[in-house]
Amino acid sequence: MYKLFLKIATRYLLKNKLYSFINIFGLAIGIASFVLVMLYVNYEKSFDKFQGSENVQRVYMDYKEGGEWVAGDANAYIVSGPTLKEVFPEVLDFVRFRHMTEVVIMADNELFDNNKGSLADPSYFEIFNHQLQQGDVKNALNDPYTIVLTPSLAQKLFGSEEVLGRTLKLNDDKGPVFTVTGILQDNGRNTHLKNDFLISFKSFYTWSIFEGDWKFTWNQNTYFTYIKLDSSADAVALKQKIMAHKVESLPFERHNIEPLEDIHLYSNKPYEAEANGSASRVRFLLAIAFIIIVLSWLNYINLSTAKSLERAKETGIRKVAGALKPQIIVQSLLESLLVNFAAIVLAIVIVLAVLPIFNGFIAKELTIGPATIKDFLPVIGFIAFGAFLSGLYPAFVLGNYSPAKALKGKVHTSNNGLTIRKGLIIGQFLATIVLLIGTLMVNKQIRFLQNQPIGADIDQVIAVHGAVFGTKSDSLVENDLKTLKNELVDLPFVERAVFSKTYPGDTYEKLNSSVGITFPNGKKDDSRIWYNYSVGPEYFELMDMQFVAGVPFLDNAKGQSNNIVMNERFVKHMGISNMQDAVNKTVRFFDQVWTISGVIKDYHHFGLKTGIEPMILLHRTNTNNILVKLNRTALSPSGLNGVISEIEGKWSALFPKSTFNYTFLDEKFEAQYREDKAFGATFQIFTFLAIVIASMGLFGLTSYTVVQRKKEIGIRKVNGATVPQVLLLLNKDFVKWVGIAFLFAIPISWYAISQWLQDFAYKTSLSWWIFALAGLAALVIAALTVSWQSFQAAVANPMESLRDE
């Protein structure tokens, strides 16, 4: 019997090719979209998951501002881990990381740049459950100047992964020699803490590059610190105890902890180890995925129920011939199974074909493999369950037809069934309008961020930097850098050049963050974190930063001085409302007295996703970058290539044993919005797919309506109804349903977009025309979808529908 049912179902689907194609294609789009998004969601949720990861917490500091505690940056102090282990028995162990970026490594007298790693305690291997493929985890990081490498870095440096006992140097030809004691196992784990190498933490206490830090205890929080808790410990209760624990030397700070597994999606602090993901972005894409697959199932229900009217006589004959209702239902379910199976196969093909393109949009490397399949079992179960439910309703509709009415051609839908189908189409267009509004608002926000002035001119500015290896003293290297700067200024395509430690759009790590400053009125402020960095006197002119009071640095300043420039936010933080009143006042920090030479307008150093912070710019010349402002003669791509080559030639002539790097400031600043752009592009694609699927659903309901009202249309035409009148008759209900969907969509989309915009410190407005445009677009889409079938019904010969009366 089942074999016969399967044969009948196959024949029916092959005979009704358009119906089968629409159903299979619509379901395939929905399933493929859902699978793609779930690949992304599972990837984002997989960060820092390993055996025992649920017992690992990151330590960070809270700061007291205005009587309230606020989260600080992602770091803690060098003594935070040891202190918490000593005070709280729930803490079994700790590991600290001192991050190192843009590290240049010398191996076999060859330089390799753009490496990043950390100083780390030996407990890393146990706390992070990371093994070595070569070496002994018990001894690999026990001694000073020992280093473990990733397999890829070992291959890059030595051309082999068999490198135990080999030696190398970091950043300084005169510095210590490091011995390779291990190769990390490539476990394919997603983690927020990526390291190309790990150096024994004991190296910190004698390594000359950290000489200025040896004396610090509670004075410098530049360490990522993680603690491992006893498996029976109550993390929530421990968190409260840790926050209540007072450190005598930190009256305006306290320790806090957060789960390791939550960092990637839920932590967005300054000085993160890398740019983390976004929980709101994941939630939005997850919602879109569910919308699309549910829309595809609703389409199948609409098309199947519409088609069931055409099959009423077939069902009636089968029942008269002895078929039972359960048999009719089983046959219909088999058809649904065939359709869904074909859709799943097509969806797999689509996923495999578009996955590389999707990866390009989201800037990830998603893959499908055995591990993916294991994680996807709940997703596969959800798809199978949804497919079964979507086939169940049409099967019961078909099984409930009365054979007598079916054979007479008098099958009509019930009011309940029509209400359900109206509700389905309203739901489809509700989702479509919400997605349209979301797409328009995401694009509007991204354009808003891109078009906002940041308070500095970063166009045509290049940051030139590199690591110098050699035997020269620091003072000689500094003199050579000054010579290089002067030579660059003499080039015909260079307007000006200046030393600067960092620039707008660069990472937090290039900034100094401090707490503790004495204001001009003698008041000491230990509660608010503030940022500072060093620049040369020409920096403000090169960056076109506007002064509201004072001058860049005092005229008699040579090389460097105790002159500083503040932004407006800092001056207001000191309680001074008139910017001119701050000029020539003195403040005290870093155990020195500093003179305020000028005040600049607030500018967006971190981009517009975060607010403007209090900032101090120090007068120093021995800094990381030479910023070079190009003139218009260097604008063409071919001209830029020549410019870079000439600048590199000047660099290499002075520093033959070094690395050379450059960064375009506008590109670096724009990179902050790369994730948001990718999100916007992905949102648009899935919105388009949702529109296609919703249109298919509307097509199905139009078919259903036309079949139901076939005789009514014939009677109206016989009585003189014109084609436009018939079109209006058939289309007005759909317009009404779109209008109802629009009314529901307004508050839903307003709330959802408002939640998403909370991730931005500066945001565009929720414009009324966005909602109106989305509603109009949905109306046009609906009208175009139903007009073809409505027109076919309006011009049909009425005798065809009335001849059996």
Side-chain angles (χ1 to χ4, degrees):
M1 180 180 69
Y2 292 107
K3 185 177 180 181
L4 176 63
F5 287 168
L6 190 61
K7 185 181 293 186
I8 294 172
T10 304
R11 286 175 178 173
Y12 180 79
L13 293 174
L14 291 174
K15 180 182 177 182
N16 296 272
K17 293 181 176 61
L18 179 61
Y19 161 79
S20 301
F21 170 78
I22 292 175
N23 264 333
I24 292 171
F25 187 67
L27 286 169
I29 291 176
I31 294 169
S33 301
F34 186 73
V35 168
L36 285 171
V37 173
M38 290 309 300
L39 280 171
Y40 170 76
V41 170
N42 284 353
Y43 171 84
E44 290 291 290
K45 289 185 174 182
S46 70
F47 272 70
D48 298 302
K49 300 284 180 66
F50 52 85
Q51 186 176 355
S53 60
E54 68 278 5
N55 297 321
V56 181
Q57 303 271 329
R58 182 171 71 177
V59 182
Y60 65 95
M61 307 306 297
D62 288 337
Y63 299 101
K64 200 167 191 178
E65 294 184 2
E68 295 185 0
W69 290 103
V70 296
D73 56 50
N75 298 132
Y77 292 89
I78 192 171
V79 289
S80 294
T83 299
L84 296 182
K85 181 183 178 182
E86 180 182 352
V87 173
F88 301 102
E90 299 96 325
V91 178
L92 300 180
D93 208 347
F94 66 89
V95 58
R96 297 162 296 183
F97 298 89
R98 174 67 182 258
H99 215 39
M100 302 173 67
T101 59
E102 298 183 6
V103 175
V104 179
I105 299 176
M106 177 185 284
D108 293 337
N109 290 318
E110 188 176 353
L111 300 182
F112 301 87
D113 60 358
N114 296 322
N115 305 292
K116 62 180 180 180
S118 300
L119 299 169
D121 291 300
S123 53
Y124 162 78
F125 299 106
E126 197 277 329
I127 292 178
F128 278 80
N129 192 25
H130 201 165
Q131 302 302 310
L132 292 176
Q133 68 180 42
Q134 294 179 44
D136 182 4
V137 293
K138 296 179 180 179
N139 304 311
L141 293 178
N142 281 356
D143 299 324
Y145 308 119
T146 52
I147 185 171
V148 298
L149 311 175
T150 61
S152 58
L153 183 58
Q155 185 72 36
K156 173 183 170 183
L157 298 179
F158 300 105
S160 169
E161 294 180 18
E162 302 293 332
V163 296
L164 293 185
R166 300 287 292 271
T167 59
L168 47 82
K169 292 185 177 182
L170 280 72
N171 285 349
D172 186 1
D173 193 25
K174 300 172 292 182
V177 175
F178 291 84
T179 302
V180 179
T181 54
I183 301 297
L184 289 163
Q185 193 175 83
D186 188 1
N187 51 25
R189 184 187 300 166
N190 292 322
T191 176
H192 77 288
L193 198 66
K194 297 180 176 65
N195 290 292
D196 298 319
F197 59 85
L198 294 174
I199 297 172
S200 63
F201 203 88
K202 288 182 179 178
S203 308
F204 168 81
Y205 300 103
T206 54
W207 194 356
S208 60
I209 66 171
F210 295 114
E211 185 174 359
D213 298 346
W214 294 341
K215 61 183 179 182
F216 289 123
T217 52
W218 294 109
N219 294 327
Q220 192 177 54
N221 61 331
T222 54
Y223 303 87
F224 294 104
T225 303
Y226 302 81
I227 56 176
K228 182 176 182 179
L229 309 185
D230 187 285
S231 58
S232 62
D234 185 338
V236 176
L238 178 62
K239 178 183 177 77
Q240 296 301 317
K241 290 194 289 185
I242 286 176
M243 289 192 294
H245 176 68
K246 301 293 184 184
V247 177
E248 186 176 344
S249 56
L250 303 175
F252 297 99
E253 296 181 55
R254 70 180 183 188
H255 288 98
N256 205 337
I257 58 174
E258 60 187 335
L260 172 67
E261 296 177 351
D262 289 352
I263 291 173
H264 178 69
L265 286 180
Y266 299 98
S267 179
N268 187 27
K269 300 178 178 65
Y271 299 100
E272 290 283 0
E274 66 169 20
N276 285 334
S278 167
S280 63
R281 191 180 299 130
V282 169
R283 284 194 294 267
F284 270 95
L285 287 179
L286 189 59
I288 293 173
F290 274 103
I291 288 171
I292 290 177
I293 197 169
V294 170
L295 286 180
S296 67
W297 287 332
L298 295 183
N299 277 355
Y300 178 76
I301 292 171
N302 275 337
L303 286 169
S304 298
T305 51
K307 204 67 178 175
S308 67
L309 288 175
E310 298 179 13
R311 304 183 66 183
K313 288 185 179 180
E314 174 197 337
T315 303
I317 293 172
R318 288 177 59 79
K319 284 192 173 182
V320 169
L324 301 175
K325 179 179 176 180
Q327 293 175 318
I328 302 295
I329 292 173
V330 169
Q331 181 186 340
S332 180
L333 284 174
L334 277 174
E335 286 181 15
S336 174
L337 178 64
L338 277 176
V339 170
N340 278 278
F341 177 76
I344 289 171
V345 172
L346 180 57
I348 292 172
V349 173
I350 292 172
V351 169
L352 293 175
V354 305
L355 186 57
I357 302 172
F358 185 65
N359 282 337
F361 273 109
I362 63 174
K364 307 291 182 187
E365 291 296 330
L366 306 181
T367 58
I368 297 178
T372 310
I373 299 300
K374 181 181 178 182
D375 294 337
F376 248 63
L377 289 178
V379 175
I380 294 170
F382 174 75
I383 292 173
F385 181 68
F388 173 76
L389 287 183
S390 68
L392 203 58
Y393 177 72
F396 273 100
V397 170
L398 199 62
N400 282 331
Y401 284 150
S402 164
K405 290 183 178 180
L407 292 174
K408 291 180 180 180
K410 295 184 178 181
V411 172
H412 298 285
T413 186
S414 66
N415 289 332
N416 287 339
L418 187 58
T419 301
I420 290 173
R421 283 182 282 281
K422 286 179 181 179
L424 294 179
I425 206 67
I426 290 172
Q428 286 180 307
F429 269 86
L430 167 64
T432 301
I433 294 170
V434 169
L435 291 178
L436 280 171
I437 293 171
T439 297
L440 294 171
M441 280 303 304
V442 168
N443 289 333
K444 187 170 184 277
Q445 173 65 12
I446 293 172
R447 287 196 304 271
F448 172 82
L449 295 177
Q450 291 177 309
N451 296 332
Q452 285 297 302
I454 67 168
D457 183 8
I458 57 177
D459 291 336
Q460 297 171 238
V461 180
I462 301 177
V464 176
H465 50 96
V468 178
F469 271 76
T471 57
K472 288 184 178 181
S473 65
D474 292 342
S475 60
L476 289 177
V477 170
E478 185 178 335
N479 287 333
D480 285 344
L481 286 171
K482 290 178 181 177
T483 299
L484 174 63
K485 171 181 166 293
N486 293 332
E487 288 183 0
L488 293 178
V489 172
D490 290 337
L491 293 175
F493 49 79
V494 174
E495 287 188 5
R496 55 181 64 89
V498 64
F499 290 109
S500 177
K501 182 176 181 181
T502 185
Y503 45 81
D506 204 3
T507 62
Y508 273 97
E509 289 181 338
K510 302 298 178 59
L511 286 166
N512 297 316
S513 63
S514 302
V515 175
I517 182 171
T518 302
F519 295 157
N521 60 6
K523 176 186 175 184
K524 187 174 182 180
D525 178 23
D526 289 314
S527 63
R528 176 67 189 261
I529 187 172
W530 53 277
Y531 297 93
N532 64 86
Y533 64 100
S534 305
V535 299
E538 308 94 337
Y539 175 80
F540 306 98
E541 184 179 5
L542 183 144
M543 300 295 289
D544 195 24
M545 291 182 171
Q546 303 300 310
F547 277 79
V548 294
V551 295
F553 292 119
L554 298 183
D555 293 336
N556 61 356
K558 300 294 183 182
Q560 62 184 38
S561 66
N562 279 17
N563 301 154
I564 59 172
V565 170
M566 291 181 170
N567 66 349
E568 294 174 289
R569 186 63 54 92
F570 204 114
V571 175
K572 292 175 182 176
H573 176 61
M574 294 193 301
I576 301 175
S577 56
N578 186 342
M579 300 296 118
Q580 193 63 47
D581 291 344
V583 177
N584 294 328
K585 294 288 196 306
T586 60
V587 294
R588 185 177 181 85
F589 58 88
F590 299 162
D591 294 326
Q592 296 183 52
V593 176
W594 305 79
T595 301
I596 304 170
S597 64
V599 181
I600 57 171
K601 277 188 174 182
D602 286 334
Y603 73 98
H604 295 280
H605 191 94
F606 306 105
L608 283 86
K609 295 184 73 171
T610 57
I612 294 174
E613 295 285 351
M615 189 81 68
I616 290 179
L617 286 76
L618 312 177
H619 184 193
R620 293 288 185 272
T621 55
N622 53 339
T623 51
N624 296 26
N625 304 281
I626 300 177
L627 301 186
V628 180
K629 177 75 171 180
L630 305 178
N631 57 34
R632 295 188 177 278
T633 61
L635 283 178
S636 68
S638 58
L640 280 176
N641 291 335
V643 164
I644 298 302
S645 295
E646 195 159 349
I647 292 175
E648 184 176 4
K650 294 285 187 183
W651 175 281
S652 300
L654 285 166
F655 308 112
K657 197 174 184 181
S658 67
T659 60
F660 171 81
N661 295 286
Y662 65 92
T663 305
F664 285 93
L665 268 60
D666 56 349
E667 293 179 0
K668 188 72 174 285
F669 197 89
E670 189 74 13
Q672 298 176 100
Y673 310 121
R674 187 179 294 121
E675 289 279 350
D676 297 300
K677 285 183 178 179
F679 174 68
T682 307
F683 206 110
Q684 290 179 49
I685 292 171
F686 287 123
T687 298
F688 172 76
L689 294 177
I691 291 171
V692 170
I693 292 172
S695 298
M696 288 181 176
L698 190 57
F699 180 88
L701 193 59
T702 306
S703 301
Y704 180 85
T705 303
V706 168
V707 172
Q708 281 287 91
R709 305 181 72 173
K710 187 176 180 181
K711 289 185 172 61
E712 177 192 348
I713 293 169
I715 293 171
R716 287 179 180 273
K717 290 194 69 177
V718 167
N719 284 282
T722 63
V723 171
Q725 288 174 329
V726 173
L727 286 174
L728 179 63
L729 173 72
L730 293 175
N731 289 0
K732 66 180 182 180
D733 284 339
F734 295 110
V735 172
K736 179 176 65 178
W737 297 338
V738 172
I740 294 172
F742 176 68
L743 292 177
F744 281 106
I746 291 175
I748 294 173
S749 55
W750 179 88
Y751 174 78
I753 293 298
S754 297
Q755 292 295 111
W756 177 69
L757 287 175
Q758 287 182 5
D759 287 345
F760 301 88
Y762 299 89
K763 50 184 84 66
T764 187
S765 58
L766 282 164
S767 305
W768 66 269
W769 61 266
I770 293 284
F771 296 87
L773 182 60
L776 180 62
L779 185 61
V780 170
I781 291 167
L784 291 175
T785 302
V786 302
S787 291
W788 181 77
Q789 283 191 307
S790 299
F791 182 76
Q792 293 290 104
V795 299
N797 185 349
M799 298 304 297
E800 294 292 326
S801 58
L802 298 175
R803 60 184 175 183
D804 61 337
E805 292 295 322

